[in-house]
Amino acid sequence: MKIRRAEKKDLADVARIHVEAWKSVYRGIMPDEVLDARNLDAQQIVWEEELDKGAKLYVCEQEGNIVGFASGHEVDAFHAEIDTLYFQESDRGKGYGLQMLDYMRHVLGEEKQISLWCVKENPNRTFYEANGGETGLEKTVQIGGKEIAGIQYLFEKRRK
């Protein structure tokens, strides 16, 4: 397993994993029309634009195939946020997610408080709790006319 900075050639796989993850994980949580409208071409364009803006986007490769990705950004000198952390369904539960979480904590700044937001009804959110995430704030957002609850996970700064 290898984690590296994403390149343009990776974005079709990133888009595929992102769209498939949303459709499988959020079905029954988010409106079907929102999930059904997600498509590979549009998602790839979003990621191309993010990469062009300098996004901190990383991919996880297993035997030359991209099986997951994560992105994040620095909020300020003390705080950074993981924006995305997704793996294709067949590669969940293999330990890659924890390696990617640790990697993102490292590249975003081990001296920083790291946070991420997760859909509260996401059945996979226990992953964050099992790997050191403490629940923080909660909020709701409108997606496709439906209120979706979100929960923040906070990861402590690493001591040197």
Side-chain angles (χ1 to χ4, degrees), residues 117 138-142 147-150:
W117 284 92
E138 293 188 23
K139 68 178 178 181
T140 58
V141 294
Q142 287 281 328
E147 283 200 2
I148 305 295

Short mmCIF file of all heavy atoms in Angstrom, two decimals, residues 117 138-142 147-150:
data_model
loop_
_atom_site.label_atom_id
_atom_site.label_comp_id
_atom_site.label_asym_id
_atom_site.label_seq_id
_atom_site.Cartn_x
_atom_site.Cartn_y
_atom_site.Cartn_z
N TRP A 117 -15.67 16.65 9.34
CA TRP A 117 -17.13 16.58 9.47
C TRP A 117 -17.62 15.31 8.80
O TRP A 117 -17.11 14.91 7.75
CB TRP A 117 -17.79 17.79 8.83
CG TRP A 117 -17.66 19.01 9.67
CD1 TRP A 117 -16.66 19.95 9.61
CD2 TRP A 117 -18.52 19.41 10.73
NE1 TRP A 117 -16.87 20.90 10.56
CE2 TRP A 117 -18.00 20.61 11.26
CE3 TRP A 117 -19.69 18.87 11.27
CZ2 TRP A 117 -18.61 21.28 12.32
CZ3 TRP A 117 -20.30 19.54 12.32
CH2 TRP A 117 -19.77 20.73 12.83
N GLU A 138 -22.09 19.86 16.29
CA GLU A 138 -23.05 19.27 15.36
C GLU A 138 -23.69 20.40 14.57
O GLU A 138 -23.79 21.52 15.06
CB GLU A 138 -24.12 18.46 16.11
CG GLU A 138 -23.55 17.24 16.79
CD GLU A 138 -24.63 16.33 17.38
OE1 GLU A 138 -25.79 16.38 16.93
OE2 GLU A 138 -24.28 15.56 18.29
N LYS A 139 -24.10 20.10 13.36
CA LYS A 139 -24.79 21.10 12.54
C LYS A 139 -25.67 20.37 11.54
O LYS A 139 -25.52 19.17 11.31
CB LYS A 139 -23.80 22.02 11.81
CG LYS A 139 -22.98 21.34 10.72
CD LYS A 139 -22.05 22.33 10.03
CE LYS A 139 -21.20 21.63 8.98
NZ LYS A 139 -20.27 22.55 8.32
N THR A 140 -26.60 21.10 10.97
CA THR A 140 -27.41 20.55 9.89
C THR A 140 -27.21 21.40 8.65
O THR A 140 -26.97 22.61 8.73
CB THR A 140 -28.92 20.51 10.24
OG1 THR A 140 -29.36 21.82 10.55
CG2 THR A 140 -29.18 19.58 11.41
N VAL A 141 -27.26 20.75 7.50
CA VAL A 141 -27.17 21.43 6.21
C VAL A 141 -28.31 20.94 5.33
O VAL A 141 -28.82 19.83 5.52
CB VAL A 141 -25.80 21.19 5.52
CG1 VAL A 141 -24.67 21.81 6.31
CG2 VAL A 141 -25.54 19.72 5.30
N GLN A 142 -28.70 21.77 4.40
CA GLN A 142 -29.75 21.40 3.45
C GLN A 142 -29.10 20.75 2.24
O GLN A 142 -28.24 21.35 1.60
CB GLN A 142 -30.52 22.65 2.99
CG GLN A 142 -31.45 23.22 4.02
CD GLN A 142 -32.76 22.43 4.09
OE1 GLN A 142 -33.24 21.89 3.11
NE2 GLN A 142 -33.31 22.38 5.29
N GLU A 147 -32.91 18.24 5.45
CA GLU A 147 -31.91 18.59 6.45
C GLU A 147 -31.08 17.35 6.78
O GLU A 147 -31.62 16.32 7.15
CB GLU A 147 -32.57 19.14 7.72
CG GLU A 147 -33.02 20.56 7.56
CD GLU A 147 -33.23 21.26 8.88
OE1 GLU A 147 -33.00 20.67 9.96
OE2 GLU A 147 -33.65 22.43 8.84
N ILE A 148 -29.77 17.49 6.63
CA ILE A 148 -28.84 16.40 6.91
C ILE A 148 -28.00 16.82 8.11
O ILE A 148 -27.36 17.87 8.09
CB ILE A 148 -27.93 16.10 5.69
CG1 ILE A 148 -28.75 15.82 4.43
CG2 ILE A 148 -26.96 14.99 6.01
CD1 ILE A 148 -29.59 14.57 4.48
N ALA A 149 -28.00 15.98 9.13
CA ALA A 149 -27.22 16.28 10.34
C ALA A 149 -25.77 15.87 10.13
O ALA A 149 -25.48 14.81 9.58
CB ALA A 149 -27.81 15.53 11.53
N GLY A 150 -24.88 16.73 10.60
CA GLY A 150 -23.46 16.44 10.54
C GLY A 150 -22.86 16.49 11.93
O GLY A 150 -23.39 17.16 12.83
#
